[in-house]
Amino acid sequence: MQGINKVPLLDLSRSHRAIAAETSEAIARVVDSQQFIMGPDVHLFEEESARYLEVPHAVACASGSDALLLALQALGVGPGDEVVTTPFSFFATAACIARLGATPVFADVREDSFNISMEAAAAAFTPRTKAFIPVHLFGQLSRVDEIDATLKQRGIALVEDCAQSFGAHRMAGGHIVRSGGWGSLGCFSFFPTKNLGAFGDAGMVTAHDGAQAEHLKRLRLHGAAAMYQHDEIGVNSRMDTMQAAVLRVRLRRIEEWIEQRREAARIYGMMIAERGLLDRVKPPVEDDGCRHTYHQYVIRAQRRDELLSYLTEHGVSARVYYPIPLHLQPCFEYVGMKRGSLPVAERLCGEVLALPIFPGLTEGEQDYVVRTIDDFYRG
Ligand SMILES: *Cc1c(COP(=O)(O)O)cnc(C)c1O
């Protein structure tokens, strides 16, 4: 504990170590089978994750970005349509809308959970709104229950961006709803840094409707209804068998890893409070009834940029997710939302800072992180 002077933002090798042999065996089996695309492991991974997520259907694909694109394509989103989403997310959330020729409409976020405000979203709906994409940011579900009735009434499709929230859930109306469990469609990413990460790109769309799931399966194979018969144009977005084999091993550990992340978050909260830092640093807020999975542990900090430099100088790797809100990205200038139009998201971009969190992070390392923050504010 004494000698710590460096803490990585993420160290995947620590969780891998315990399952290294099992993972190598799974990969070796794929190599032996020589079935590299859509082999048996892909279907098994779809079944096993559908069971874990408590959704009827899961369709594996090549990335989280593709999952969003396939979902919107399955809903027939195209030119003339509007899709309401959050300005405070990874770029892919809005890019998929624009890629299909539809218009992204950004609605402001909540200051406490960083998730899209359901009042702001509802106010952004117009007769052209075809779909709504809330992002369950940093591992915590947004309050979809508050807008569910409005969506149904207006015939607006719900597409959940679950890229950061595999395994997250929320109590609503007396029962547990899991990430991907609200929407007609839930979009997951297994990018290596996500809570459930592959050894490369991989993604998945969950569906509640069987016909929609079949449609998604066609769309990921160039829209083919049967071999060499194309009634519509899809994309090439299959999951590699190797990724599925790796993910199946890791899925068996996900609960343990989520619990480790939650425990690390609890310890950070305690350490920040004990050092009297609460007037400088706001720890993340767990929304009512939410099981936050802490894909990221994101604080709001005074003099954020100076703190980030100080942490970096002292060996603590921290990062800003996200420095620029999507409505102010040059590529979305045409949407016409100026600086000042979404004040909460814009302010958060200047205050947020993600601290190191991952399974295997030690209490000694956390102590070093919080001590370094304390040293900075003591100046
Ligand atoms: C990671 C991520 C995506 C994209 O997933 P990829 O697998 O990297 O394509 C989409 N939305 C959010 C919120 C993400 O964090």
Side-chain angles (χ1 to χ4, degrees):
M1 193 150 155
Q2 230 51 35
I4 291 167
N5 59 9
K6 211 169 161 25
V7 185
L9 186 65
L10 175 67
D11 180 357
L12 294 169
S13 66
R14 297 188 200 176
S15 44
H16 176 64
R17 212 167 293 140
I19 51 168
E22 221 179 315
T23 306
S24 298
E25 278 167 34
I27 291 173
R29 269 202 314 278
V30 177
V31 173
D32 286 344
S33 80
Q34 293 287 301
Q35 277 189 278
F36 296 115
I37 305 283
M38 297 295 290
D41 280 294
V42 175
H43 307 293
L44 289 167
F45 177 65
E46 286 175 337
E47 276 174 30
E48 288 161 6
S49 36
R51 201 175 313 135
Y52 173 81
L53 295 167
E54 295 175 11
V55 291
H57 308 280
V59 179
C61 64
S63 72
S65 303
D66 274 4
L68 287 160
L69 193 68
L70 288 165
L72 291 187
Q73 215 184 339
L75 292 168
V77 169
D81 294 330
E82 292 175 354
V83 178
V84 174
T85 191
T86 170
F88 194 56
S89 180
F90 178 61
F91 179 67
T93 305
C96 61
I97 303 166
R99 280 274 301 275
L100 292 170
T103 306
V105 175
F106 300 104
D108 214 349
V109 298
R110 295 177 61 96
E111 192 157 334
D112 51 6
S113 66
F114 312 139
N115 279 325
I116 191 165
S117 148
M118 295 304 159
E119 295 85 55
F125 292 159
T126 74
R128 297 179 138 196
T129 308
K130 184 111 175 187
F132 172 49
I133 311 182
V135 178
H136 305 314
L137 201 67
F138 302 144
Q140 171 157 251
L141 259 61
S142 57
R143 296 185 175 184
V144 179
D145 47 311
E146 291 180 353
I147 207 168
D148 215 28
T150 309
L151 294 175
K152 290 198 170 83
Q153 209 170 52
R154 302 185 64 140
I156 296 170
L158 175 61
V159 176
E160 292 174 75
D161 184 336
C162 307
Q164 302 186 3
S165 62
F166 193 93
H169 56 67
R170 175 174 157 78
M171 285 295 293
H175 50 241
I176 291 177
V177 182
R178 288 185 166 265
S179 178
W182 283 113
S184 43
L185 299 166
C187 303
F188 291 84
S189 165
F190 306 113
F191 186 77
T193 61
K194 304 287 157 97
N195 283 19
L196 180 62
F199 282 7
D201 280 309
M204 189 173 75
V205 186
T206 56
H208 292 252
D209 177 72
Q212 215 163 26
E214 290 309 311
H215 190 193
L216 286 161
K217 286 180 182 173
R218 293 195 297 276
L219 286 172
R220 75 177 165 184
L221 295 174
H222 285 299
M227 200 87 107
Y228 306 117
Q229 184 200 319
H230 300 270
D231 302 332
E232 63 181 329
I233 298 166
V235 286
N236 171 11
S237 185
R238 300 160 298 209
M239 185 186 277
D240 290 344
T241 315
M242 203 97 85
Q243 303 303 350
V246 169
L247 286 166
R248 289 185 64 211
V249 173
R250 298 181 148 219
L251 180 60
R252 295 199 278 272
R253 301 294 170 125
I254 189 68
E255 276 299 305
E256 182 188 317
W257 291 342
I258 290 172
E259 284 312 316
Q260 286 184 39
R261 284 173 180 271
R262 287 184 54 75
E263 177 62 7
R266 192 186 65 80
I267 290 170
Y268 267 138
M270 227 169 53
M271 288 177 169
I272 290 168
E274 274 170 5
R275 286 188 181 266
L277 284 165
L278 288 174
D279 54 340
R280 310 294 191 121
V281 159
K282 282 199 180 63
V285 177
E286 284 198 20
D287 208 356
D288 288 344
C290 263
R291 185 218 203 186
H292 198 318
T293 56
Y294 291 100
H295 170 58
Q296 300 292 351
Y297 185 87
V298 176
I299 59 168
R300 292 167 62 195
Q302 282 179 18
R303 292 159 57 208
R304 193 269 320 271
D305 291 338
E306 288 168 68
L307 173 62
L308 174 58
S309 306
Y310 187 87
L311 288 172
T312 308
E313 276 163 34
H314 291 82
V316 175
S317 164
R319 195 170 295 173
V320 176
Y321 300 110
Y322 295 90
I324 305 170
L326 295 174
H327 66 291
L328 298 181
Q329 291 287 352
C331 67
F332 292 128
E333 216 172 294
Y334 69 94
V335 174
M337 299 189 83
K338 300 254 178 303
R339 187 172 292 281
S341 58
L342 301 174
V344 183
E346 290 170 31
R347 182 152 30 84
L348 287 175
C349 287
E351 295 178 358
V352 289
L353 190 62
L355 302 181
I357 195 159
F358 51 88
L361 178 70
T362 69
E363 211 168 314
E365 287 172 318
Q366 292 192 267
D367 179 63
Y368 180 74
V369 172
V370 179
R371 195 153 25 103
T372 310
I373 295 173
D374 196 16
D375 290 345
F376 167 74
Y377 286 116
R378 281 167 191 277

